Amino acid sequence: AGRAWGSRGMEAAVRSCRAPLPACWGLLRGLLLAALAAGCCRGNSVERKIYVPLNKTAPCVRLLNATHQIGCQSSISGDTGVIHVVEKEEDLSWVLSDGPHPPYMVLLDGNLFNRRIMLQLKGTSRVSGLAVAVAKPSPPQGFSPGLKCPNDGFGVYSKDYGPQFAHCNKTVWNPVGSGLSYEDFDFPIFLLEDANETQVIKQCYQEHNVPRGAAGPEYPLCAMQLFSHMHAVTSTVTCMRRSSLQSTFSINPGKRIPLSLAWFVCDPLLDYNVWSTLQPINSSGKVDPDKEVIIVAARIDSHSFFWNIAPGAESAVSSFVAHLAAAEALHKASDVRSLQRNIMFTFFQGETFDYIGSSRMVYDMEKDKFPLRLDNIHSFVELNQVALRNGSILWMHTDPVSRMNDSIEVQVRNLLDILRHSSVGANVTLQEAGYSQPLPPSSFQRFLRARHIPGVVLTDHQAAFQNRYYQSMYDTPENIQMQYPEGLSPEETLEYVTDTAKSLAEVATVVARALYRLAGGASNTSAIQADPKTVSRMLYGFLIKMNNSWFQSIIKPDLKGILGDVPQHYVAVSSPVNTTYLVQYVLANLTGTVVNLTKEECQNPEKMPNSENEMYEYAWVQGSLDPNSTSRVPYCVRSTVRLSKALSPAFELRQWGSTEYSTWTESRWKEIRARIFLVASKELEIITLAVGVAILIFSLLATYFINAKADILFSVPRDPGAVAY
């Protein structure tokens, strides 16, 4: 109807035009432009008929450090290929040699996503990209794309300090590690998160691409296009230098360069550490040099091969959840304010990438940019992968090099004895990993690089990791045996106490009692008990569903947008990330105090007399839903929880090639998307192009002829009734 109206309207316009010739010709051009605009408006609907977008995907992106680039990228216009499903190794021959329609987009079964097969695909020009289907259940042999020796070269052991332990010479901590995440691929690789979308691709493949004899399938074929072009290249040194030059020569140096113009740029991986103290300290001042502080630490970030897919159930969540539960248990003790030593609860961000968070805190302590100095540290206790215990055993790891110092040895022995004594009567048995056993990859190593400190790292493994899915998309709740009865509502699941929660509560109880003794507590510790229900809530929120009623009640109203459905714990480049915010507010909820302040007073404590705003942080949180209405009951929480930068000192110092500090950056990109469609044969495409060019030439010639003869074709006939004088 629109096309018919358009032709009739144009014809009527020509016949009725009584204006001078140039005006008539202008009117016709205007109508043509209007018709073209109407066609453009219908372009989106045409695109939807041609392409099927894949909306639930996760890309592999490019990361860079001082010397290398790793990850994946597509060409600037995206990469396209005919889809071929590979569900067993024999299917690879079609992609690598036999198939007549290269390049191919490989839909790879998750059980085949390993280093050996990926290197085969990397070594051929017949592959233009890869889509990986999640393996269910998780690969039984394990899958870890991380390194066998995580954070190698950035811990304490080197040629100058315990050389016999450097580069994991004594213990290979992650024997399952393939290093796949640290390879560089010149084609895009996407994870298919939605089983329904995976099935749509397989159905398209079955209908169009299944080989039929030696000649192969007939056109049209099902194809896939992946867009993930990365702007950064070579290394952090190169991309940061280019970014710096762009900023230097920018017309407005204070303004961030638009992403569309920011070629070859990257951003440092950064976020914030979360920390608080048992006894309040002045955040803008310095702790008295004679005041001793015990640091208890855990990391809160994880990683996998794919961007922002980092569940980290065992590698991170189990540790920081037990840490949070121990902090709550300690704060409930009646005499914590009178303890001889203070305790600092620290949650480091970015530890996966060469200890970003811990190295920054040590740097700030050394430069007097933090309330504590290294000399204030009495001892160090770290929780590091504590959910997969064999029986009831938890292993205590110490540094054999620093223990050669007699003074450190005495303090470490005392620390180990207190931990053992604190486990009496609990379902946790603490054992020493061995005097000659080095420390596993841990934040404690960064503190030891600066100063000899007595400390211990608690893990569920004596030597190699128990976790077969370290730094993997399969490090999920199932990996730490979190199981729920069928038929529970989300609210019932949130409150259900799993066996995993009970186990981690036991660990938290032992740690809390040991910290109490270590801080000088003399009372009976039987009352110090971690709450399994709180642990259950945290595990559910950090591993299954962030957007739950408990998390909603403990955060600020303006932060409710951070509560996504599926939790991820990647450090990223925009900060703070969701995990950091939630750890901050969970810690405030578990260790803070509800104070009787109005919203205005809570948000502006400096205006209140005796608010001690340098000693405390105040937060106006949403609160729970009123049982009799849909509105919430907000309140004010006072706590000692604070944030500190987790940005590598290498970027503060502009030492982008540093071997002392982490130099990891993430490339920028313009768009990430994936889609499938039917592609015609090359012959048909050439014929279509040729016909199109012919029509274009004919149209140009016709337009030229009409324009040249316009005075004849569009002349106005003389009125026969007119009389000339």
Side-chain angles (χ1 to χ4, degrees), residues 466-502:
Q466 297 259 85
N467 185 7
R468 294 173 300 153
Y469 304 109
Y470 182 76
Q471 290 187 6
S472 160
M473 58 187 171
Y474 300 114
D475 191 6
T476 58
E478 291 76 18
N479 186 33
I480 58 173
Q481 287 86 51
M482 279 180 63
Q483 297 176 343
Y484 297 92
E486 293 183 3
L488 295 183
S489 67
E491 201 62 29
E492 290 170 335
T493 308
L494 172 67
E495 301 294 338
Y496 183 81
V497 180
T498 62
D499 290 339
T500 302
K502 294 175 184 176

Side-chain angles (χ1 to χ4, degrees), residues 200-488:
V200 167
I201 299 171
K202 288 183 177 180
Q203 182 179 346
C204 187
Y205 167 80
Q206 291 290 338
E207 292 176 357
H208 298 278
N209 293 14
V210 172
R212 294 175 176 85
E218 297 180 357
Y219 285 99
L221 298 175
C222 191
M224 182 184 294
Q225 189 172 29
L226 302 178
F227 297 84
S228 62
H229 181 66
M230 300 288 129
H231 291 166
V233 294
T234 310
S235 68
T236 290
V237 176
T238 300
C239 76
M240 290 300 293
R241 185 175 65 245
R242 289 174 177 174
S243 297
S244 178
L245 286 172
Q246 285 188 356
S247 298
T248 302
F249 293 105
S250 173
I251 297 174
N252 184 357
K255 185 176 180 181
R256 186 178 174 89
I257 299 169
L259 189 58
S260 59
L261 302 177
W263 295 100
F264 307 109
V265 293
C266 54
D267 298 290
L269 296 181
L270 77 155
D271 202 71
Y272 287 90
N273 298 322
V274 182
W275 64 277
S276 74
T277 51
L278 192 62
Q279 301 163 0
I281 62 174
N282 189 333
S283 61
S284 61
K286 296 295 175 190
V287 173
D288 191 300
D290 297 329
K291 183 67 175 177
E292 293 182 321
V293 179
I294 301 160
I295 292 183
V296 53
R299 54 181 268 196
I300 59 176
D301 69 298
S302 187
H303 179 46
S304 80
F305 185 87
F306 298 99
W307 182 76
N308 210 28
I309 300 294
E314 160 71 342
S315 61
V317 177
S318 66
S319 306
F320 74 70
V321 163
H323 186 177
L324 288 164
E328 180 192 32
L330 261 175
H331 271 268
K332 289 179 178 178
S334 58
D335 58 343
V336 291
R337 290 298 187 94
S338 61
L339 291 177
Q340 177 186 351
R341 301 182 182 96
N342 204 349
I343 299 174
M344 187 170 90
F345 306 99
T346 313
F347 300 83
F348 291 119
Q349 183 63 277
E351 295 300 274
T352 303
F353 295 96
D354 300 336
Y355 306 117
I356 293 174
S358 55
S359 63
R360 179 52 186 262
M361 184 169 283
V362 171
Y363 174 83
D364 287 345
M365 288 181 176
E366 290 177 323
K367 301 298 181 183
D368 281 341
K369 296 180 179 180
F370 196 79
L372 269 69
R373 301 178 179 88
L374 289 170
D375 292 340
N376 291 117
I377 301 176
H378 170 267
S379 52
F380 199 104
V381 178
E382 181 171 352
L383 287 83
N384 191 336
Q385 300 192 75
V386 294
L388 297 176
R389 303 200 311 275
N390 276 331
S392 62
I393 299 176
L394 202 62
W395 296 95
M396 300 182 291
H397 299 262
T398 58
D399 172 41
V401 179
S402 61
R403 289 181 67 179
M404 294 178 184
N405 180 295
D406 292 339
S407 174
I408 297 294
E409 169 65 12
V410 170
Q411 295 177 74
V412 169
R413 276 285 156 210
N414 179 57
L415 174 57
L416 298 178
D417 290 342
I418 288 174
L419 281 164
R420 286 196 193 92
H421 184 265
S422 300
S423 67
V424 173
N427 292 325
V428 180
T429 303
L430 277 88
Q431 294 186 16
E432 189 174 354
Y435 186 86
S436 60
Q437 177 85 12
L439 286 170
S442 53
S443 306
F444 180 38
Q445 293 201 30
R446 290 301 304 194
F447 284 80
L448 281 176
R449 282 178 73 128
R451 182 177 178 271
H452 280 180
I453 299 170
V456 61
V457 179
L458 303 177
T459 73
D460 56 20
H461 53 88
Q462 180 180 11
F465 295 163
Q466 297 259 85
N467 185 7
R468 294 173 300 153
Y469 304 109
Y470 182 76
Q471 290 187 6
S472 160
M473 58 187 171
Y474 300 114
D475 191 6
T476 58
E478 291 76 18
N479 186 33
I480 58 173
Q481 287 86 51
M482 279 180 63
Q483 297 176 343
Y484 297 92
E486 293 183 3
L488 295 183

